[in-house]
């Protein structure tokens, strides 16, 4: 199965600062999904990237997939306490999203 | 909105007990999944089901079984619970062929085996 590595494992940023989380795959990604998890709860879908070079934004969160389709980054601009949680990337290695493999997650804390 | 409901948020069971974790979705999704989440290991797929009465092993099926008798319900069974099955269990569902929206997850069941 496809291996996904996320970095950093944890992150503490001051409110208002920007941050970036990376997700790297050892194989070509057919689809890359970003999720956010509040502590002790389920995962909330953020966005999905499919094409090399693709970039999507939702409010202050922007995700990109590189041209080679092996790395994705999630960028948060002007972080807020509401951004705190665990961010996970999920990889589709079938082209049909019939089975997703997840990274280990990045724990984000936002301090006042 | 699709809702995926897991029957219990917290569960404490004894070693050797048979444990049932229930998951119900209300949007007629064909595909359903069970993951477990552990610190440092992320989400790992236990079992999944493409449709009623169908099941496929995921990456870590040992010690688990599943049941999908109705489309909306996917049950995870721990035949004889052990302490190394203490974990957060997450159920998810999706409609076949929809790649743009990912999976919809339940809120999770935190199982402790003592």
């Amino acid at each position: 199965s496809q291996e996904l590595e996320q970095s950093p494992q944890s992150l503490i940023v001051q409110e208002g600062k920007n941050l970036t989380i990376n997700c790297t795959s050892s194989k070509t990604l057919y689809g890359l999904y970003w999720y956010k998890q509040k502590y002790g709860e389920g995962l909330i879908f953020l966005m999905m990237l499919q094409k090399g070079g693709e970039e999507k934004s939702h409010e202050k969160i922007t995700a990109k997939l590189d041209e080679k389709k092996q790395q994705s980054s999630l960028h948060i601009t002007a972080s807020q306490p509401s951004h705190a949680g665990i961010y996970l990337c999920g990889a589709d290695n079938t082209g049909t999203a019939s089975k997703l493999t997840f990274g280990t997650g990045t724990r984000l804390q936002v301090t006042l | 909105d699709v809702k995926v409901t897991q029957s219990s948020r917290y569960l404490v069971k004894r070693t050797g007990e048979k444990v049932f974790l229930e998951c119900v979705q209300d949007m007629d999704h064909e595909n359903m999944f069970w993951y477990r989440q552990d610190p440092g290991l992320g989400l790992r797929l236990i079992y999944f089901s493409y449709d009623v009465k169908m099941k496929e092993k995921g990456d870590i099926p040992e010690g688990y079984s599943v049941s999908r008798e109705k489309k909306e319900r996917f049950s995870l069974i721990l035949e004889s619970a052990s302490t190394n099955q203490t974990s957060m269990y997450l159920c998810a569902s999706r409609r076949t062929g929809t790649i743009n929206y990912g999976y919809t997850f339940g809120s999770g069941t935190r199982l402790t085996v003592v």
Side-chain angles (χ1 to χ4, degrees):
Chain A
S1 61
Q2 188 160 299
E3 184 173 326
L4 276 184
E5 287 192 13
Q6 275 187 247
S7 62
Q9 289 189 349
S10 65
L11 201 50
I12 303 173
V13 300
Q14 196 173 23
E15 184 178 5
K17 298 293 186 184
N18 302 337
L19 64 107
T20 300
I21 298 168
N22 294 302
C23 178
T24 303
S25 172
S26 57
K27 297 181 181 179
T28 300
L29 296 162
Y30 287 93
L32 190 288
Y33 299 78
W34 282 102
Y35 287 85
K36 180 187 174 185
Q37 183 182 29
K38 287 282 190 185
Y39 299 117
E41 297 184 9
L43 279 64
I44 305 297
F45 174 72
L46 295 176
M47 55 193 90
M48 178 262 187
L49 303 164
Q50 203 175 7
K51 300 174 185 174
E54 188 175 9
E55 180 176 319
K56 287 186 179 177
S57 292
H58 176 66
E59 297 179 344
K60 294 185 177 180
I61 300 176
T62 300
K64 301 178 186 179
L65 183 62
D66 74 337
E67 290 288 346
K68 291 184 179 179
K69 295 172 64 174
Q70 286 193 275
Q71 186 169 14
S72 178
S73 60
L74 186 83
H75 184 78
I76 298 177
T77 304
S79 58
Q80 301 169 351
S82 60
H83 288 128
I86 300 171
Y87 289 82
L88 294 108
C89 59
D92 171 20
N93 62 354
T94 66
T96 62
S98 56
K99 192 170 91 166
L100 296 188
T101 303
F102 286 87
T104 53
T106 295
R107 186 178 292 266
L108 171 64
Q109 290 178 252
V110 180
T111 61
L112 297 174
Chain B
D1 282 348
V2 178
K3 206 164 194 178
V4 177
T5 304
Q6 293 184 231
S7 53
S8 305
R9 289 296 302 272
Y10 299 93
L11 214 50
V12 180
K13 295 292 181 180
R14 294 191 182 278
T15 302
E17 272 193 81
K18 190 168 186 175
V19 181
F20 293 84
L21 301 184
E22 305 289 346
C23 176
V24 177
Q25 50 93 4
D26 65 359
M27 283 299 287
D28 204 36
H29 283 180
E30 294 86 4
N31 306 161
M32 296 188 75
F33 309 82
W34 275 107
Y35 287 86
R36 64 176 283 177
Q37 184 178 26
D38 301 286
L41 296 176
L43 270 71
R44 293 178 291 166
L45 182 63
I46 306 171
Y47 266 97
F48 59 107
S49 169
Y50 289 125
D51 212 328
V52 179
K53 296 194 186 291
M54 296 177 69
K55 58 185 178 183
E56 297 275 347
K57 292 180 180 179
D59 300 318
I60 51 163
E62 297 78 20
Y64 303 94
S65 62
V66 290
S67 172
R68 183 106 183 262
E69 294 298 316
K70 293 185 178 181
K71 196 172 188 178
E72 67 270 20
R73 185 180 296 270
F74 191 35
S75 302
L76 180 69
I77 303 156
L78 286 66
E79 298 291 341
S80 177
S82 63
T83 54
N84 62 14
Q85 292 178 310
T86 291
S87 186
M88 174 71 141
Y89 289 87
L90 291 160
C91 175
S93 74
R94 72 178 272 264
R95 188 180 303 281
T96 300
T98 57
I99 64 172
N100 293 325
Y101 302 103
Y103 297 179
T104 301
F105 280 84
S107 298
T109 296
R110 187 166 294 280
L111 172 68
T112 302
V113 182
V114 297

